[in-house]
mmCIF file of all heavy atoms in Angstrom:
data_model
loop_
_atom_site.group_PDB
_atom_site.id
_atom_site.type_symbol
_atom_site.label_atom_id
_atom_site.label_comp_id
_atom_site.label_asym_id
_atom_site.label_seq_id
_atom_site.Cartn_x
_atom_site.Cartn_y
_atom_site.Cartn_z
ATOM 1 N N PRO A 1 -28.538 -54.651 -14.271
ATOM 2 C CA PRO A 1 -27.669 -55.828 -14.243
ATOM 3 C C PRO A 1 -28.211 -56.928 -15.143
ATOM 4 O O PRO A 1 -29.423 -57.116 -15.260
ATOM 5 C CB PRO A 1 -27.710 -56.247 -12.774
ATOM 6 C CG PRO A 1 -28.968 -55.670 -12.238
ATOM 7 C CD PRO A 1 -29.170 -54.391 -12.981
ATOM 8 N N CYS A 2 -27.343 -57.655 -15.728
ATOM 9 C CA CYS A 2 -27.720 -58.735 -16.647
ATOM 10 C C CYS A 2 -27.357 -60.072 -16.017
ATOM 11 O O CYS A 2 -26.233 -60.250 -15.551
ATOM 12 C CB CYS A 2 -26.996 -58.561 -17.995
ATOM 13 S SG CYS A 2 -27.421 -59.837 -19.200
ATOM 14 N N PHE A 3 -28.350 -60.971 -15.985
ATOM 15 C CA PHE A 3 -28.122 -62.280 -15.380
ATOM 16 C C PHE A 3 -28.110 -63.331 -16.493
ATOM 17 O O PHE A 3 -28.972 -63.333 -17.362
ATOM 18 C CB PHE A 3 -29.232 -62.619 -14.380
ATOM 19 C CG PHE A 3 -29.272 -61.663 -13.211
ATOM 20 C CD1 PHE A 3 -30.130 -60.573 -13.232
ATOM 21 C CD2 PHE A 3 -28.438 -61.849 -12.126
ATOM 22 C CE1 PHE A 3 -30.177 -59.699 -12.172
ATOM 23 C CE2 PHE A 3 -28.487 -60.966 -11.045
ATOM 24 C CZ PHE A 3 -29.350 -59.893 -11.075
ATOM 25 N N THR A 4 -27.186 -64.202 -16.430
ATOM 26 C CA THR A 4 -27.062 -65.266 -17.427
ATOM 27 C C THR A 4 -27.143 -66.609 -16.729
ATOM 28 O O THR A 4 -26.449 -66.838 -15.726
ATOM 29 C CB THR A 4 -25.729 -65.174 -18.178
ATOM 30 O OG1 THR A 4 -25.628 -63.890 -18.784
ATOM 31 C CG2 THR A 4 -25.644 -66.259 -19.240
ATOM 32 N N ILE A 5 -28.045 -67.459 -17.213
ATOM 33 C CA ILE A 5 -28.193 -68.796 -16.641
ATOM 34 C C ILE A 5 -27.663 -69.796 -17.656
ATOM 35 O O ILE A 5 -28.122 -69.856 -18.802
ATOM 36 C CB ILE A 5 -29.663 -69.099 -16.327
ATOM 37 C CG1 ILE A 5 -30.200 -68.086 -15.304
ATOM 38 C CG2 ILE A 5 -29.821 -70.521 -15.799
ATOM 39 C CD1 ILE A 5 -31.663 -68.262 -15.003
ATOM 40 N N THR A 6 -26.730 -70.590 -17.228
ATOM 41 C CA THR A 6 -26.131 -71.594 -18.094
ATOM 42 C C THR A 6 -26.491 -72.973 -17.574
ATOM 43 O O THR A 6 -26.266 -73.285 -16.394
ATOM 44 C CB THR A 6 -24.600 -71.448 -18.125
ATOM 45 O OG1 THR A 6 -24.276 -70.112 -18.528
ATOM 46 C CG2 THR A 6 -23.993 -72.461 -19.079
ATOM 47 N N LEU A 7 -27.115 -73.757 -18.415
ATOM 48 C CA LEU A 7 -27.518 -75.104 -18.031
ATOM 49 C C LEU A 7 -26.633 -76.123 -18.703
ATOM 50 O O LEU A 7 -26.312 -76.010 -19.899
ATOM 51 C CB LEU A 7 -28.975 -75.360 -18.429
ATOM 52 C CG LEU A 7 -30.046 -74.488 -17.741
ATOM 53 C CD1 LEU A 7 -31.407 -74.818 -18.338
ATOM 54 C CD2 LEU A 7 -30.046 -74.691 -16.253
ATOM 55 N N SER A 8 -26.247 -77.137 -17.927
ATOM 56 C CA SER A 8 -25.492 -78.238 -18.503
ATOM 57 C C SER A 8 -26.442 -79.136 -19.273
ATOM 58 O O SER A 8 -27.668 -79.014 -19.166
ATOM 59 C CB SER A 8 -24.802 -79.044 -17.400
ATOM 60 O OG SER A 8 -25.777 -79.634 -16.556
ATOM 61 N N LEU A 9 -25.907 -80.074 -20.015
ATOM 62 C CA LEU A 9 -26.727 -80.985 -20.814
ATOM 63 C C LEU A 9 -27.664 -81.826 -19.940
ATOM 64 O O LEU A 9 -28.854 -81.941 -20.247
ATOM 65 C CB LEU A 9 -25.841 -81.886 -21.671
ATOM 66 C CG LEU A 9 -26.584 -82.874 -22.605
ATOM 67 C CD1 LEU A 9 -27.484 -82.120 -23.565
ATOM 68 C CD2 LEU A 9 -25.577 -83.735 -23.364
ATOM 69 N N PRO A 10 -27.171 -82.416 -18.825
ATOM 70 C CA PRO A 10 -28.098 -83.182 -17.962
ATOM 71 C C PRO A 10 -29.208 -82.306 -17.385
ATOM 72 O O PRO A 10 -30.358 -82.742 -17.266
ATOM 73 C CB PRO A 10 -27.184 -83.715 -16.853
ATOM 74 C CG PRO A 10 -25.821 -83.732 -17.453
ATOM 75 C CD PRO A 10 -25.783 -82.538 -18.363
ATOM 76 N N GLN A 11 -28.854 -81.067 -17.004
ATOM 77 C CA GLN A 11 -29.877 -80.173 -16.458
ATOM 78 C C GLN A 11 -30.918 -79.824 -17.507
ATOM 79 O O GLN A 11 -32.113 -79.750 -17.226
ATOM 80 C CB GLN A 11 -29.215 -78.897 -15.927
ATOM 81 C CG GLN A 11 -28.378 -79.120 -14.678
ATOM 82 C CD GLN A 11 -27.630 -77.875 -14.273
ATOM 83 O OE1 GLN A 11 -27.162 -77.125 -15.141
ATOM 84 N NE2 GLN A 11 -27.488 -77.663 -12.974
ATOM 85 N N THR A 12 -30.447 -79.591 -18.752
ATOM 86 C CA THR A 12 -31.372 -79.282 -19.843
ATOM 87 C C THR A 12 -32.303 -80.459 -20.109
ATOM 88 O O THR A 12 -33.499 -80.295 -20.312
ATOM 89 C CB THR A 12 -30.580 -78.940 -21.115
ATOM 90 O OG1 THR A 12 -29.694 -77.852 -20.850
ATOM 91 C CG2 THR A 12 -31.519 -78.569 -22.242
ATOM 92 N N THR A 13 -31.750 -81.667 -20.086
ATOM 93 C CA THR A 13 -32.546 -82.876 -20.305
ATOM 94 C C THR A 13 -33.609 -83.042 -19.227
ATOM 95 O O THR A 13 -34.762 -83.359 -19.499
ATOM 96 C CB THR A 13 -31.635 -84.112 -20.329
ATOM 97 O OG1 THR A 13 -30.633 -83.946 -21.324
ATOM 98 C CG2 THR A 13 -32.451 -85.373 -20.622
ATOM 99 N N LEU A 14 -33.214 -82.789 -17.959
ATOM 100 C CA LEU A 14 -34.148 -82.906 -16.849
ATOM 101 C C LEU A 14 -35.267 -81.879 -16.962
ATOM 102 O O LEU A 14 -36.443 -82.184 -16.740
ATOM 103 C CB LEU A 14 -33.408 -82.723 -15.526
ATOM 104 C CG LEU A 14 -34.275 -82.757 -14.245
ATOM 105 C CD1 LEU A 14 -34.977 -84.105 -14.135
ATOM 106 C CD2 LEU A 14 -33.408 -82.489 -13.022
ATOM 107 N N LEU A 15 -34.915 -80.642 -17.347
ATOM 108 C CA LEU A 15 -35.918 -79.589 -17.495
ATOM 109 C C LEU A 15 -36.919 -79.938 -18.589
ATOM 110 O O LEU A 15 -38.132 -79.774 -18.414
ATOM 111 C CB LEU A 15 -35.222 -78.262 -17.818
ATOM 112 C CG LEU A 15 -36.145 -77.051 -18.013
ATOM 113 C CD1 LEU A 15 -36.946 -76.789 -16.735
ATOM 114 C CD2 LEU A 15 -35.338 -75.817 -18.388
ATOM 115 N N LEU A 16 -36.423 -80.441 -19.704
ATOM 116 C CA LEU A 16 -37.314 -80.831 -20.798
ATOM 117 C C LEU A 16 -38.240 -81.974 -20.390
ATOM 118 O O LEU A 16 -39.418 -82.013 -20.773
ATOM 119 C CB LEU A 16 -36.494 -81.232 -22.024
ATOM 120 C CG LEU A 16 -35.747 -80.101 -22.736
ATOM 121 C CD1 LEU A 16 -34.852 -80.669 -23.827
ATOM 122 C CD2 LEU A 16 -36.726 -79.092 -23.323
ATOM 123 N N LYS A 17 -37.695 -82.897 -19.592
ATOM 124 C CA LYS A 17 -38.505 -84.024 -19.127
ATOM 125 C C LYS A 17 -39.635 -83.539 -18.209
ATOM 126 O O LYS A 17 -40.768 -84.000 -18.308
ATOM 127 C CB LYS A 17 -37.622 -85.017 -18.388
ATOM 128 C CG LYS A 17 -38.353 -86.300 -17.953
ATOM 129 C CD LYS A 17 -37.427 -87.263 -17.220
ATOM 130 C CE LYS A 17 -36.357 -87.788 -18.174
ATOM 131 N NZ LYS A 17 -35.530 -88.828 -17.507
ATOM 132 N N LEU A 18 -39.307 -82.589 -17.330
ATOM 133 C CA LEU A 18 -40.317 -82.046 -16.428
ATOM 134 C C LEU A 18 -41.416 -81.314 -17.198
ATOM 135 O O LEU A 18 -42.606 -81.423 -16.883
ATOM 136 C CB LEU A 18 -39.670 -81.101 -15.406
ATOM 137 C CG LEU A 18 -38.768 -81.767 -14.360
ATOM 138 C CD1 LEU A 18 -38.059 -80.695 -13.525
ATOM 139 C CD2 LEU A 18 -39.585 -82.678 -13.449
ATOM 140 N N VAL A 19 -41.005 -80.550 -18.204
ATOM 141 C CA VAL A 19 -41.972 -79.834 -19.035
ATOM 142 C C VAL A 19 -42.872 -80.824 -19.765
ATOM 143 O O VAL A 19 -44.098 -80.642 -19.845
ATOM 144 C CB VAL A 19 -41.248 -78.913 -20.034
ATOM 145 C CG1 VAL A 19 -42.244 -78.337 -21.038
ATOM 146 C CG2 VAL A 19 -40.531 -77.792 -19.302
ATOM 147 N N LYS A 20 -42.267 -81.891 -20.284
ATOM 148 C CA LYS A 20 -43.038 -82.899 -21.001
ATOM 149 C C LYS A 20 -44.051 -83.578 -20.079
ATOM 150 O O LYS A 20 -45.203 -83.811 -20.464
ATOM 151 C CB LYS A 20 -42.092 -83.938 -21.599
ATOM 152 C CG LYS A 20 -42.807 -85.004 -22.430
ATOM 153 C CD LYS A 20 -41.816 -85.993 -23.023
ATOM 154 C CE LYS A 20 -42.551 -87.062 -23.837
ATOM 155 N NZ LYS A 20 -41.613 -88.058 -24.405
ATOM 156 N N GLN A 21 -43.618 -83.896 -18.848
ATOM 157 C CA GLN A 21 -44.526 -84.516 -17.884
ATOM 158 C C GLN A 21 -45.697 -83.593 -17.562
ATOM 159 O O GLN A 21 -46.839 -84.029 -17.442
ATOM 160 C CB GLN A 21 -43.777 -84.886 -16.607
ATOM 161 C CG GLN A 21 -42.801 -86.045 -16.773
ATOM 162 C CD GLN A 21 -42.014 -86.314 -15.496
ATOM 163 O OE1 GLN A 21 -42.082 -85.545 -14.544
ATOM 164 N NE2 GLN A 21 -41.271 -87.416 -15.488
ATOM 165 N N LYS A 22 -45.380 -82.298 -17.404
ATOM 166 C CA LYS A 22 -46.435 -81.326 -17.093
ATOM 167 C C LYS A 22 -47.431 -81.231 -18.238
ATOM 168 O O LYS A 22 -48.654 -81.197 -18.024
ATOM 169 C CB LYS A 22 -45.797 -79.959 -16.835
ATOM 170 C CG LYS A 22 -46.778 -78.897 -16.368
ATOM 171 C CD LYS A 22 -47.276 -79.190 -14.978
ATOM 172 C CE LYS A 22 -48.137 -78.049 -14.451
ATOM 173 N NZ LYS A 22 -48.686 -78.340 -13.124
ATOM 174 N N VAL A 23 -46.928 -81.207 -19.470
ATOM 175 C CA VAL A 23 -47.791 -81.131 -20.640
ATOM 176 C C VAL A 23 -48.641 -82.391 -20.751
ATOM 177 O O VAL A 23 -49.851 -82.338 -21.003
ATOM 178 C CB VAL A 23 -46.965 -80.914 -21.919
ATOM 179 C CG1 VAL A 23 -47.845 -81.070 -23.154
ATOM 180 C CG2 VAL A 23 -46.315 -79.543 -21.901
ATOM 181 N N ASN A 24 -48.001 -83.574 -20.523
ATOM 182 C CA ASN A 24 -48.743 -84.833 -20.606
ATOM 183 C C ASN A 24 -49.836 -84.901 -19.547
ATOM 184 O O ASN A 24 -50.936 -85.392 -19.801
ATOM 185 C CB ASN A 24 -47.795 -86.022 -20.442
ATOM 186 C CG ASN A 24 -46.929 -86.230 -21.672
ATOM 187 O OD1 ASN A 24 -47.274 -85.787 -22.755
ATOM 188 N ND2 ASN A 24 -45.800 -86.908 -21.511
ATOM 189 N N PHE A 25 -49.516 -84.406 -18.325
ATOM 190 C CA PHE A 25 -50.514 -84.398 -17.261
ATOM 191 C C PHE A 25 -51.696 -83.505 -17.642
ATOM 192 O O PHE A 25 -52.854 -83.865 -17.436
ATOM 193 C CB PHE A 25 -49.897 -83.910 -15.947
ATOM 194 C CG PHE A 25 -50.905 -83.734 -14.841
ATOM 195 C CD1 PHE A 25 -51.374 -84.824 -14.135
ATOM 196 C CD2 PHE A 25 -51.392 -82.468 -14.523
ATOM 197 C CE1 PHE A 25 -52.316 -84.683 -13.124
ATOM 198 C CE2 PHE A 25 -52.332 -82.317 -13.517
ATOM 199 C CZ PHE A 25 -52.789 -83.418 -12.812
ATOM 200 N N SER A 26 -51.408 -82.348 -18.203
ATOM 201 C CA SER A 26 -52.479 -81.436 -18.607
ATOM 202 C C SER A 26 -53.333 -82.047 -19.705
ATOM 203 O O SER A 26 -54.560 -81.909 -19.704
ATOM 204 C CB SER A 26 -51.879 -80.107 -19.079
ATOM 205 O OG SER A 26 -51.153 -79.485 -18.039
ATOM 206 N N LEU A 27 -52.679 -82.724 -20.657
ATOM 207 C CA LEU A 27 -53.427 -83.366 -21.736
ATOM 208 C C LEU A 27 -54.284 -84.509 -21.194
ATOM 209 O O LEU A 27 -55.425 -84.702 -21.631
ATOM 210 C CB LEU A 27 -52.460 -83.885 -22.803
ATOM 211 C CG LEU A 27 -51.740 -82.809 -23.631
ATOM 212 C CD1 LEU A 27 -50.724 -83.457 -24.561
ATOM 213 C CD2 LEU A 27 -52.741 -81.981 -24.432
ATOM 214 N N ASP A 28 -53.718 -85.286 -20.231
ATOM 215 C CA ASP A 28 -54.495 -86.370 -19.626
ATOM 216 C C ASP A 28 -55.709 -85.819 -18.891
ATOM 217 O O ASP A 28 -56.803 -86.380 -18.953
ATOM 218 C CB ASP A 28 -53.621 -87.172 -18.647
ATOM 219 C CG ASP A 28 -52.609 -88.041 -19.374
ATOM 220 O OD1 ASP A 28 -52.808 -88.297 -20.573
ATOM 221 O OD2 ASP A 28 -51.623 -88.459 -18.730
ATOM 222 N N ALA A 29 -55.517 -84.718 -18.161
ATOM 223 C CA ALA A 29 -56.619 -84.101 -17.424
ATOM 224 C C ALA A 29 -57.698 -83.629 -18.390
ATOM 225 O O ALA A 29 -58.902 -83.820 -18.139
ATOM 226 C CB ALA A 29 -56.112 -82.946 -16.574
ATOM 227 N N LEU A 30 -57.279 -83.005 -19.499
ATOM 228 C CA LEU A 30 -58.236 -82.542 -20.494
ATOM 229 C C LEU A 30 -58.967 -83.714 -21.133
ATOM 230 O O LEU A 30 -60.191 -83.681 -21.309
ATOM 231 C CB LEU A 30 -57.514 -81.728 -21.576
ATOM 232 C CG LEU A 30 -58.386 -81.216 -22.727
ATOM 233 C CD1 LEU A 30 -59.473 -80.291 -22.201
ATOM 234 C CD2 LEU A 30 -57.520 -80.497 -23.768
ATOM 235 N N ARG A 31 -58.224 -84.783 -21.449
ATOM 236 C CA ARG A 31 -58.832 -85.964 -22.067
ATOM 237 C C ARG A 31 -59.845 -86.610 -21.119
ATOM 238 O O ARG A 31 -60.949 -86.979 -21.528
ATOM 239 C CB ARG A 31 -57.747 -86.962 -22.460
ATOM 240 C CG ARG A 31 -58.287 -88.194 -23.171
ATOM 241 C CD ARG A 31 -57.184 -89.000 -23.849
ATOM 242 N NE ARG A 31 -56.137 -89.373 -22.926
ATOM 243 C CZ ARG A 31 -54.903 -88.847 -22.933
ATOM 244 N NH1 ARG A 31 -54.583 -87.919 -23.833
ATOM 245 N NH2 ARG A 31 -53.994 -89.234 -22.080
ATOM 246 N N ASN A 32 -59.463 -86.754 -19.819
ATOM 247 C CA ASN A 32 -60.377 -87.348 -18.843
ATOM 248 C C ASN A 32 -61.637 -86.506 -18.679
ATOM 249 O O ASN A 32 -62.744 -87.036 -18.523
ATOM 250 C CB ASN A 32 -59.678 -87.493 -17.481
ATOM 251 C CG ASN A 32 -58.677 -88.637 -17.474
ATOM 252 O OD1 ASN A 32 -58.826 -89.590 -18.219
ATOM 253 N ND2 ASN A 32 -57.664 -88.533 -16.644
ATOM 254 N N THR A 33 -61.453 -85.188 -18.710
ATOM 255 C CA THR A 33 -62.605 -84.295 -18.588
ATOM 256 C C THR A 33 -63.556 -84.477 -19.761
ATOM 257 O O THR A 33 -64.775 -84.584 -19.582
ATOM 258 C CB THR A 33 -62.151 -82.835 -18.512
ATOM 259 O OG1 THR A 33 -61.290 -82.661 -17.381
ATOM 260 C CG2 THR A 33 -63.342 -81.900 -18.375
ATOM 261 N N LEU A 34 -63.011 -84.528 -20.970
ATOM 262 C CA LEU A 34 -63.839 -84.688 -22.159
ATOM 263 C C LEU A 34 -64.522 -86.056 -22.194
ATOM 264 O O LEU A 34 -65.637 -86.188 -22.699
ATOM 265 C CB LEU A 34 -62.978 -84.497 -23.416
ATOM 266 C CG LEU A 34 -62.425 -83.084 -23.632
ATOM 267 C CD1 LEU A 34 -61.508 -83.049 -24.846
ATOM 268 C CD2 LEU A 34 -63.568 -82.078 -23.784
ATOM 269 N N ILE A 35 -63.848 -87.071 -21.619
ATOM 270 C CA ILE A 35 -64.438 -88.403 -21.579
ATOM 271 C C ILE A 35 -65.581 -88.461 -20.575
ATOM 272 O O ILE A 35 -66.666 -88.970 -20.855
ATOM 273 C CB ILE A 35 -63.370 -89.468 -21.230
ATOM 274 C CG1 ILE A 35 -62.395 -89.653 -22.407
ATOM 275 C CG2 ILE A 35 -64.026 -90.807 -20.879
ATOM 276 C CD1 ILE A 35 -61.237 -90.567 -22.091
ATOM 277 N N TRP A 36 -65.340 -87.892 -19.370
ATOM 278 C CA TRP A 36 -66.313 -88.042 -18.292
ATOM 279 C C TRP A 36 -67.486 -87.080 -18.362
ATOM 280 O O TRP A 36 -68.507 -87.291 -17.697
ATOM 281 C CB TRP A 36 -65.619 -87.928 -16.940
ATOM 282 C CG TRP A 36 -65.030 -89.233 -16.522
ATOM 283 C CD1 TRP A 36 -63.712 -89.586 -16.533
ATOM 284 C CD2 TRP A 36 -65.749 -90.390 -16.073
ATOM 285 N NE1 TRP A 36 -63.565 -90.878 -16.117
ATOM 286 C CE2 TRP A 36 -64.790 -91.394 -15.828
ATOM 287 C CE3 TRP A 36 -67.100 -90.666 -15.863
ATOM 288 C CZ2 TRP A 36 -65.150 -92.653 -15.377
ATOM 289 C CZ3 TRP A 36 -67.455 -91.932 -15.403
ATOM 290 C CH2 TRP A 36 -66.488 -92.908 -15.169
ATOM 291 N N LEU A 37 -67.385 -86.060 -19.170
ATOM 292 C CA LEU A 37 -68.547 -85.190 -19.340
ATOM 293 C C LEU A 37 -69.748 -85.961 -19.876
ATOM 294 O O LEU A 37 -70.830 -85.937 -19.273
ATOM 295 C CB LEU A 37 -68.205 -84.012 -20.253
ATOM 296 C CG LEU A 37 -67.508 -82.826 -19.583
ATOM 297 C CD1 LEU A 37 -67.062 -81.819 -20.630
ATOM 298 C CD2 LEU A 37 -68.452 -82.163 -18.573
ATOM 299 N N PRO A 38 -69.622 -86.687 -20.973
ATOM 300 C CA PRO A 38 -70.775 -87.472 -21.438
ATOM 301 C C PRO A 38 -71.051 -88.697 -20.568
ATOM 302 O O PRO A 38 -72.214 -89.069 -20.369
ATOM 303 C CB PRO A 38 -70.375 -87.882 -22.862
ATOM 304 C CG PRO A 38 -68.887 -87.824 -22.882
ATOM 305 C CD PRO A 38 -68.509 -86.714 -21.959
ATOM 306 N N LEU A 39 -69.976 -89.320 -20.010
ATOM 307 C CA LEU A 39 -70.188 -90.505 -19.187
ATOM 308 C C LEU A 39 -70.896 -90.155 -17.881
ATOM 309 O O LEU A 39 -71.702 -90.937 -17.370
ATOM 310 C CB LEU A 39 -68.851 -91.199 -18.893
ATOM 311 C CG LEU A 39 -68.142 -91.841 -20.088
ATOM 312 C CD1 LEU A 39 -66.886 -92.567 -19.638
ATOM 313 C CD2 LEU A 39 -69.074 -92.799 -20.816
ATOM 314 N N GLY A 40 -70.572 -88.971 -17.324
ATOM 315 C CA GLY A 40 -71.251 -88.529 -16.118
ATOM 316 C C GLY A 40 -72.739 -88.361 -16.355
ATOM 317 O O GLY A 40 -73.571 -88.735 -15.526
ATOM 318 N N LEU A 41 -73.096 -87.800 -17.502
ATOM 319 C CA LEU A 41 -74.508 -87.667 -17.863
ATOM 320 C C LEU A 41 -75.135 -89.028 -18.124
ATOM 321 O O LEU A 41 -76.290 -89.274 -17.769
ATOM 322 C CB LEU A 41 -74.651 -86.777 -19.101
ATOM 323 C CG LEU A 41 -74.318 -85.298 -18.915
ATOM 324 C CD1 LEU A 41 -74.328 -84.587 -20.262
ATOM 325 C CD2 LEU A 41 -75.318 -84.645 -17.965
ATOM 326 N N MET A 42 -74.358 -89.923 -18.733
ATOM 327 C CA MET A 42 -74.853 -91.255 -19.049
ATOM 328 C C MET A 42 -75.207 -92.015 -17.770
ATOM 329 O O MET A 42 -76.128 -92.836 -17.750
ATOM 330 C CB MET A 42 -73.802 -92.025 -19.850
ATOM 331 C CG MET A 42 -74.302 -93.305 -20.476
ATOM 332 S SD MET A 42 -73.111 -93.987 -21.661
ATOM 333 C CE MET A 42 -71.870 -94.636 -20.544
ATOM 334 N N VAL A 43 -74.475 -91.748 -16.691
ATOM 335 C CA VAL A 43 -74.780 -92.355 -15.397
ATOM 336 C C VAL A 43 -75.881 -91.571 -14.680
ATOM 337 O O VAL A 43 -76.846 -92.143 -14.171
ATOM 338 C CB VAL A 43 -73.517 -92.427 -14.511
ATOM 339 C CG1 VAL A 43 -73.881 -92.850 -13.091
ATOM 340 C CG2 VAL A 43 -72.498 -93.389 -15.106
ATOM 341 N N GLY A 44 -75.738 -90.254 -14.638
ATOM 342 C CA GLY A 44 -76.630 -89.424 -13.842
ATOM 343 C C GLY A 44 -78.069 -89.419 -14.306
ATOM 344 O O GLY A 44 -78.995 -89.427 -13.480
#
């Protein structure tokens, strides 16, 4: 069987926004990790 998913324009916009938020969160987490690695040593 073949399944077809059709998204409306608002649904597509919402999906893209969620993906963007997820990507931004991952980038923020990576950036914070790279920042705190040397800062943690600088304190410790």
Side-chain angles (χ1 to χ4, degrees):
C2 181
F3 297 95
T4 303
I5 299 176
T6 304
L7 296 176
S8 63
L9 182 59
Q11 290 174 323
T12 303
T13 304
L14 177 60
L15 180 61
L16 291 173
K17 185 180 294 186
L18 291 173
V19 171
K20 183 179 179 181
Q21 290 176 351
K22 186 69 174 177
V23 171
N24 287 338
F25 174 79
S26 299
L27 291 175
D28 287 341
L30 178 61
R31 183 166 55 251
N32 285 333
T33 301
L34 293 176
I35 289 174
W36 276 105
L37 277 172
L39 293 184
L41 291 173
M42 192 169 74
V43 171

